[in-house]
Amino acid sequence: MNPFGHREHETLIEMSATTDDFSILTDFQNPDSPGEEANGTLYEINSNADSELPGNSEGLSSTESTFLIINNQRIDKHHQSKDSVFFRDGIRRIDFVLSYIDEPVKEGDKKAERRKEFEINLEKSGLELETEDKKESENGKTYFVKIHAPWEVLSTYAEVLNIKVPIKENDIPPPMENPLHFVLKPFRLPENVMHPEPDYFTAPFSKQKQELFLIEDENSFFSPATRNRIVYYILSRCHYGTEEGKKKFGIKRLLNNATYTAAYPLHDCQYWKKARDEKCESERFTLYMQWARFAQFYKEQPLDLIRKYYGEKIGIYFAWLGFYTEMLFLAAIVGLICFLYGLITMDDSNSSKQICDPEIGGQIIMCPLCDKRCEFWRLNTTCEPSRYSHLFDNVATLFFAIFMGIWVTLFLEFWKRRQARLEYEWDLVDFEEEQQQLQLRPEYEAKCTKRKKNPVTQEIELVVKRSKVNLLSKLFLCWMSIVFWISLIIASMIAVIVYRLAVYAAFASIMENNQLEDNPISSLLTPQLATSVTASCLNFVIIMILNFLYERVAIWITDMEIPRTHLEYENRLTMKMFLFQFVNYYSSCFYVAFFKGKFAGFPADYTYMFNKWRNEECDPAGCLIELTTQLTIVMAGKQIWGNIQEAIVPWIWNWWGRRKARNNPENLYSRWEQDYDMQTFGGLGLFYEYLEMVIQFGFITLFVASFPLAPLLALLNNILEIRVDSWKLTTQFRRPVASKAHSIGVWQEILNGMAILSVVTNAFIVAFTSDMIPRLVYYYAYSEYEHSLMDGYISSSLSIFNVSDFKEKSMPNENPMNITLCRYRDYRYPPDHERKYMHTMQFWHVLAAKMAFIIIMEHVVFIVKFFVAWLIPDVPSEVKARVKREKYLTQKILHEYELYKLKEKLSGRQYCEDAEKQVIATEGKVQLSEAM
């Protein structure tokens, strides 16, 4: 025992420093002579074995390819519960499981050869395999290959992957306790759940310095999540043969060609009860009881335990989702207050009073809503919609739009701080530079045919040979596909608009003058609202269909581009999917907000689409209520459908797959079979979760001025979303392979872009979609009433038209009331004016006021946003100090270790001058570290 560790490390591997040959010294027990040990048996493996190992061309580095372990052990096949996560010996942990079905056909023989070669190479790579015969499986058809990674494999690849491990317990005092700790106690989880492990100083693992790390037990030193991550790294790069002159490798290819049916790590126990084996942590049970149950919706999330069980990538997603939900609470309260203000003042709205007044709105005859079939109608038939539009079109709308512009900045800046804290706590500082950029995708490595020197590292790397013609053709095909699908969305949106125009005419001809005072439904459901509701539902169905199709196209396009790293692959796929879904989800809202009613023309010169369908007009109370309807249907429909897809569908599939075995006892229905019958989370599982939330983020920021209750709906959905995601991940899906991530990635840039765009869209919504600016212009410049300045506003906003000026195709077929003059929504001179039907000065004043409002609002909000962003540092000062402290202590410990080893090496010898200089230099490093 030395002062730097808990045990002395005895290496079993002796590698040659001059050649690729190496010798492995193992304790070998002859299976034919049980009980007799062959002490010190030496197995020589020559360089010919290297051809069977996955070398650099197969994706393994030189460090990996030189590692080889052959460990033959006698297995004690004592009786053991199949619910165990250990081999039959009850000692070696199952780190991964492969499954396959033996097919008695020619194709099955080919798959069997691949499996045999693959498993031989896995064993040569040091992994230990144990196969469960198909007779032992529940269906009698499936083989299960259990994989265990021994210490030598784990320690070797921990160094390759630069995994940080504990070297010393953290001695930095914890931050001051929150004064509201006792108030928040009902929302807290037990300390052992929130922090399942002590806080340590960590350093990248090194086999040569094993005694430096806090290794108490080799079997439990690396967590199960780290173990399955290492095993998957080997599986994804292991060679399995040569086909068509190309070397083939990787478990992903074997899954794609059905050589194996599944590859997955095991859950550690049943989610509803703890494991019987005391060596099993039962973290899944803890996560279910404390996190995944819906009864825990008001509790905080055990992020450290999530990270420990599922890995940092899943942990950072739930941290972001939880923080986003917390921030929504503030936005939801302010939005609810704004909505209540509109509800309380609804009866005080002067505009709706004038529309509903029989002496004002009842005497105003409006021009027909469609050509030929529609009749003239009275303005007071839109009384109820105009009253309800005040809920969202009032002065609080302006305040809420400005507030949300600031809120989104606070959310993004505070998340950066929260993310920086997690990076430090989860040992992810400088992670991307060290690892994410260095790990190549196996699919990229498989196509590498050329070597090139890296200008940064000066090392020879494998690269894909791309000819200019081939590259240009692929890029052209990829982007043409993207343009085609976006064009398809635009075409579908135009089709919905055509539907709106056609159905609008039908609704208008049916509903006009049929509204009865004693029928609340008919008084509320105007032709505009009926058209908007049905078109929104149709648009939502089209959105879902296009999403289903484009998802597969986006993956196909990204695969064609052959991205180099996993990070690059996800970023490219993210941009394609987001660009598509942005257009898909928001195009209809943009149409209602910025185009509907703006190009309708006027009765003497209506605007027609394709010279056939007359463009829609806004309700006399404005188009804001229709935008609210569109937003509510699409947003709520998406959230409901998303929860059905995420929770109910996996539950049904799992129930169907396990219907025969769900009543089997543990000794007949094994742990690997139980997980095999579950759904696969998939490598893009989190991608879809992020995409869903980012699209929701767009709804509550881009169009929030039209619907102050959007943050409240998002908050309620997200409270449910956290529990649905945790429940399905814990109970319905196989355990995902753990992976690291230090941030939410490219989604951060997308959120920043949407935050900036939201200021512009909300300014335009308030200016052009709501009636706020026209009312203010009338109030301050055109009101003719001293006692009530808004009296006469409705009449002022409606122009007069002479029925005799209708064109032949627009003239109503019937005019039973002999109407000679009708009104329409616009600012134009009357028919008896010398500038007949031209825009009045009030129109230009309103337009100027709208443009001025947009410029002022944008500049005010952007100035506040940038000031707030500048004021709030991205990394808390406390975290900066802790990072520096940890780097200093880690550096000091490593230097002291080097000094100790050097002195130990030189002990018993005569100190020569060079050696003394070396010691002095090492001591200087320690002094320099202390000075820093």
Side-chain angles (χ1 to χ4, degrees):
M1 181 73 69
N2 62 57
F4 292 96
H6 293 267
R7 65 173 183 82
E8 293 287 350
H9 174 67
E10 297 177 359
T11 181
L12 301 179
I13 300 180
E14 300 174 355
M15 294 189 178
S16 171
T18 57
T19 68
D20 290 338
D21 301 342
F22 55 89
S23 303
I24 301 176
L25 189 63
T26 62
D27 293 330
F28 176 77
Q29 188 171 21
N30 192 329
D32 297 331
S33 305
E36 298 178 8
E37 296 183 356
N39 296 325
T41 303
L42 183 65
Y43 290 87
E44 299 289 348
I45 301 176
N46 58 32
S47 59
N48 292 332
D50 294 343
S51 61
E52 298 177 349
L53 286 170
N56 288 340
S57 61
E58 283 79 30
L60 296 179
S61 67
S62 58
T63 305
E64 301 167 58
S65 60
T66 56
F67 175 70
L68 187 62
I69 298 176
I70 298 177
N71 189 16
N72 298 319
Q73 296 183 356
R74 182 171 58 86
I75 304 300
D76 181 15
K77 298 184 179 180
H78 64 275
H79 178 74
Q80 181 185 4
S81 169
K82 281 194 173 183
D83 194 51
S84 172
V85 293
F86 295 91
F87 274 20
R88 298 189 191 101
D89 58 8
I91 299 174
R92 293 174 295 171
R93 188 183 193 95
I94 302 173
D95 297 312
F96 227 87
V97 174
L98 307 178
S99 65
Y100 64 90
I101 297 175
D102 200 3
E103 302 175 8
V105 293
K106 185 176 181 181
E107 182 65 23
D109 293 339
K110 188 175 182 180
K111 293 177 181 177
E113 291 177 5
R114 292 174 183 161
R115 285 193 294 267
K116 181 179 179 181
E117 182 71 18
F118 186 68
E119 292 171 15
I120 289 174
N121 287 331
L122 287 179
E123 290 179 331
K124 289 179 178 179
S125 297
L127 299 178
E128 297 175 3
L129 278 56
E130 186 177 79
T131 303
E132 290 288 331
D133 192 82
K134 64 181 180 181
K135 296 178 182 178
E136 300 292 327
S137 65
E138 188 274 331
N139 59 13
K141 300 178 181 179
T142 308
Y143 291 89
F144 292 94
V145 181
K146 299 175 287 184
I147 301 175
H148 168 74
W151 171 257
E152 292 296 341
V153 173
L154 295 173
S155 59
T156 298
Y157 283 91
E159 186 171 4
V160 170
L161 297 177
N162 213 21
I163 293 174
K164 292 184 177 181
V165 293
I167 58 172
K168 181 182 177 181
E169 193 162 342
N170 195 334
D171 60 356
I172 301 177
M176 294 182 61
E177 189 173 327
N178 190 336
L180 301 176
H181 176 73
F182 293 102
V183 178
L184 300 175
K185 191 173 182 180
F187 306 99
R188 301 292 187 190
L189 290 174
E191 185 65 20
N192 65 323
V193 177
M194 288 300 298
H195 304 288
E197 293 179 329
D199 191 13
Y200 294 104
F201 292 131
T202 60
F205 185 82
S206 172
K207 290 187 68 175
Q208 286 71 32
K209 304 174 183 178
Q210 289 190 45
E211 59 268 31
L212 181 64
F213 305 105
L214 302 180
I215 304 175
E216 295 181 356
D217 181 9
E218 290 181 350
N219 294 325
S220 60
F221 180 67
F222 292 107
S223 68
T226 302
R227 296 173 70 101
N228 73 57
R229 177 175 158 229
I230 290 174
V231 173
Y232 185 76
Y233 183 84
I234 300 172
L235 291 174
S236 63
R237 287 158 173 78
C238 187
H239 177 246
Y240 65 82
T242 303
E243 299 176 7
E244 300 176 355
K246 296 181 180 179
K247 292 183 178 180
K248 302 290 184 178
F249 62 90
I251 187 62
K252 187 173 181 180
R253 284 176 175 269
L254 293 173
L255 291 172
N256 290 339
N257 58 34
T259 301
Y260 288 101
T261 56
Y264 52 93
L266 291 180
H267 284 292
D268 60 3
C269 66
Q270 303 278 12
Y271 68 85
W272 64 85
K273 64 178 180 180
K274 291 185 177 181
R276 294 181 180 180
D277 196 332
E278 294 181 356
K279 294 184 293 183
C280 193
E281 298 85 353
S282 297
E283 292 174 348
R284 185 190 187 193
F285 170 77
T286 304
L287 285 171
Y288 174 72
M289 297 301 295
Q290 303 290 346
W291 177 53
R293 292 190 304 157
F294 291 94
Q296 301 291 105
F297 75 93
Y298 62 95
K299 295 281 190 179
E300 62 183 336
Q301 299 187 86
L303 295 177
D304 287 346
L305 185 58
I306 297 169
R307 172 243 182 170
K308 183 172 181 284
Y309 191 75
Y310 290 115
E312 286 79 2
K313 193 170 186 178
I314 290 178
I316 205 83
Y317 164 73
F318 281 104
W320 176 81
L321 180 58
F323 183 81
Y324 172 44
T325 305
E326 291 172 12
M327 290 294 292
L328 275 176
F329 186 75
L330 175 62
I333 290 177
V334 177
L336 181 61
I337 292 173
C338 293
F339 175 78
L340 292 176
Y341 171 83
L343 183 64
I344 293 170
T345 60
M346 186 169 63
D347 293 332
D348 300 330
S349 172
N350 199 294
S351 299
S352 60
K353 282 181 179 179
Q354 294 178 50
I355 292 175
C356 296
D357 191 339
E359 300 300 322
I360 302 177
Q363 301 301 318
I364 295 178
I365 305 299
M366 302 296 294
C367 296
L369 297 173
C370 63
D371 297 336
K372 295 293 184 180
R373 293 181 296 170
C374 295
E375 300 176 1
F376 299 95
W377 54 286
R378 298 183 183 276
L379 180 61
N380 64 347
T381 58
T382 62
C383 173
E384 290 302 315
S386 66
R387 291 181 68 247
Y388 285 109
S389 68
H390 180 75
L391 289 172
F392 311 106
D393 190 2
N394 54 67
V395 68
T397 300
L398 174 60
F399 165 77
F400 192 58
I402 296 174
F403 167 80
M404 287 302 293
I406 300 172
W407 173 88
V408 73
T409 304
L410 292 173
F411 163 64
L412 294 174
E413 292 303 317
F414 282 131
W415 165 246
K416 290 178 184 177
R417 293 170 62 84
R418 180 77 175 103
Q419 188 171 261
R421 191 179 299 276
L422 288 175
E423 284 184 27
Y424 165 72
E425 293 174 354
W426 291 356
D427 296 321
L428 298 172
V429 178
D430 301 328
F431 163 72
E432 183 172 342
E433 179 183 349
E434 294 176 355
Q435 180 170 340
Q436 196 79 330
Q437 297 290 352
L438 300 179
Q439 284 194 22
L440 302 181
R441 294 175 64 239
E443 294 83 358
Y444 177 86
E445 293 177 297
K447 297 183 180 295
C448 289
T449 57
K450 186 179 178 182
R451 295 178 180 271
K452 183 180 180 182
K453 180 181 286 188
N454 188 311
V456 178
T457 64
Q458 295 296 308
E459 294 181 358
I460 301 299
E461 295 181 350
L462 291 165
V463 295
V464 176
K465 186 178 180 180
R466 305 174 189 257
S467 65
K468 290 185 178 180
V469 176
N470 188 32
L471 180 61
L472 291 175
S473 62
K474 281 190 175 182
L475 287 175
F476 177 78
L477 179 61
C478 292
W479 284 105
M480 283 303 295
S481 299
I482 295 172
V483 170
F484 167 77
W485 280 94
I486 292 179
S487 302
L488 186 61
I489 298 174
I490 297 173
S492 66
M493 185 185 71
I494 294 174
V496 173
I497 294 174
V498 170
Y499 164 84
R500 295 174 71 105
L501 300 181
V503 172
Y504 175 76
F507 279 134
S509 63
I510 295 172
M511 293 181 177
E512 62 182 8
N513 290 332
N514 290 334
Q515 286 88 349
L516 303 177
E517 294 183 1
D518 58 348
N519 189 341
I521 297 179
S522 63
S523 62
L524 178 63
L525 194 63
T526 62
Q528 291 93 335
L529 187 58
T531 302
S532 181
V533 170
T534 55
S536 299
C537 294
L538 176 62
N539 185 65
F540 175 73
V541 173
I542 294 175
I543 287 173
M544 293 296 104
I545 294 173
L546 289 177
N547 275 347
F548 176 79
L549 297 175
Y550 183 75
E551 174 187 319
R552 286 146 182 80
V553 174
I555 294 174
W556 171 72
I557 293 173
T558 309
D559 287 338
M560 283 183 56
E561 295 175 352
I562 320 176
R564 190 170 185 269
T565 64
H566 295 281
L567 179 65
E568 187 179 349
Y569 180 89
E570 288 190 8
N571 288 349
R572 291 189 184 187
L573 181 62
T574 297
M575 294 308 298
K576 292 180 181 66
M577 284 295 294
F578 175 75
L579 179 63
F580 172 82
Q581 294 219 4
F582 183 92
V583 178
N584 199 18
Y585 277 107
Y586 303 143
S587 56
S588 57
C589 294
F590 274 103
Y591 165 73
V592 176
F594 306 124
F595 295 97
K596 183 181 177 183
K598 308 300 187 295
F599 308 100
F602 66 102
D605 187 21
Y606 282 123
T607 305
Y608 291 84
M609 176 177 282
F610 304 128
N611 201 31
K612 183 176 182 181
W613 291 286
R614 199 173 102 186
N615 283 354
E616 290 181 280
E617 300 177 45
C618 285
D619 191 274
C623 274
L624 197 67
I625 189 66
E626 294 183 47
L627 177 58
T628 303
T629 304
Q630 177 81 25
L631 183 66
T632 304
I633 290 175
V634 176
M635 181 179 175
K638 180 185 181 300
Q639 293 180 167
I640 293 171
W641 179 251
N643 287 327
I644 291 174
Q645 277 188 313
E646 291 181 17
I648 298 178
V649 173
W651 180 83
I652 291 174
W653 279 112
N654 284 340
W655 171 84
W656 181 257
R658 301 174 64 177
R659 67 192 186 283
K660 294 181 180 179
R662 62 180 179 271
N663 295 321
N664 286 354
E666 287 181 4
N667 60 343
L668 295 179
Y669 194 36
S670 62
R671 158 68 31 220
W672 43 90
E673 287 182 280
Q674 294 172 44
D675 287 11
Y676 176 75
D677 288 335
M678 291 182 173
Q679 298 298 299
T680 304
F681 188 66
L684 296 176
L686 280 185
F687 167 80
Y688 297 114
E689 301 295 344
Y690 276 119
L691 185 61
E692 178 186 3
M693 288 297 102
V694 169
I695 293 297
Q696 181 203 85
F697 180 82
F699 280 124
I700 69 166
T701 54
L702 296 178
F703 309 102
V704 75
S706 67
F707 191 33
L709 290 180
L712 179 61
L713 290 182
L715 173 65
L716 297 176
N717 174 79
N718 287 6
I719 292 173
L720 180 65
E721 180 76 19
I722 291 175
R723 303 305 156 179
V724 168
D725 287 348
S726 59
W727 174 80
K728 72 178 183 182
L729 200 62
T730 307
T731 67
Q732 303 300 310
F733 283 85
R734 296 171 187 161
R735 185 174 183 172
V737 178
S739 59
K740 282 185 173 287
H742 78 300
S743 68
I744 62 175
V746 71
W747 298 110
Q748 183 79 35
E749 300 304 321
I750 291 175
L751 292 175
N752 289 333
M754 295 181 74
I756 295 173
L757 181 61
S758 67
V759 177
V760 179
T761 56
N762 283 302
F764 272 86
I765 288 173
V766 173
F768 285 96
T769 309
S770 76
D771 255 14
M772 184 178 300
I773 303 302
R775 286 198 297 263
L776 290 175
V777 171
Y778 179 82
Y779 183 89
Y780 287 107
Y782 288 91
S783 178
E784 299 176 354
Y785 301 89
E786 295 182 358
H787 61 284
S788 180
L789 295 178
M790 287 306 295
D791 286 352
Y793 166 71
I794 292 298
S795 181
S796 172
S797 65
L798 299 174
S799 299
I800 302 173
F801 181 74
N802 192 328
V803 175
S804 62
D805 292 331
F806 269 123
K807 293 182 179 179
E808 179 63 25
K809 62 189 268 185
S810 303
M811 179 69 73
N813 291 330
E814 298 179 2
N815 187 4
M817 295 184 291
N818 294 320
I819 302 299
T820 57
L821 296 175
C822 63
R823 310 291 292 273
Y824 60 98
R825 182 182 170 87
D826 207 344
Y827 296 99
R828 294 181 183 271
Y829 288 109
D832 57 352
H833 195 275
E834 60 180 4
R835 302 185 65 189
K836 176 180 178 180
Y837 300 141
M838 296 184 68
H839 284 123
T840 64
M841 188 57 65
Q842 186 174 355
F843 168 84
W844 298 109
H845 286 165
V846 170
L847 181 61
K850 288 179 177 180
M851 300 306 297
F853 170 81
I854 290 172
I855 294 172
I856 294 172
M857 178 178 170
E858 285 182 357
H859 281 71
V860 169
V861 176
F862 278 134
I863 290 173
V864 174
K865 278 170 62 69
F866 292 134
F867 176 74
V868 169
W870 171 81
L871 194 64
I872 302 174
D874 292 347
V875 182
S877 57
E878 172 212 346
V879 173
K880 287 182 179 179
R882 284 172 170 262
V883 170
K884 290 179 180 179
R885 169 69 175 168
E886 180 166 348
K887 284 185 177 180
Y888 159 71
L889 289 176
T890 302
Q891 197 174 33
K892 181 179 179 182
I893 291 171
L894 291 174
H895 288 163
E896 288 178 349
Y897 169 78
E898 290 177 4
L899 182 61
Y900 169 80
K901 296 299 290 183
L902 183 59
K903 287 181 177 179
E904 187 181 58
K905 181 179 178 181
L906 297 176
S907 62
R909 302 180 184 178
Q910 184 178 0
Y911 284 80
C912 63
E913 185 178 349
D914 292 340
E916 289 178 355
K917 290 180 179 179
Q918 193 172 0
V919 173
I920 293 172
T922 307
E923 289 177 341
K925 290 182 182 179
V926 177
Q927 294 173 1
L928 178 60
S929 176
E930 292 175 351
M932 291 172 63

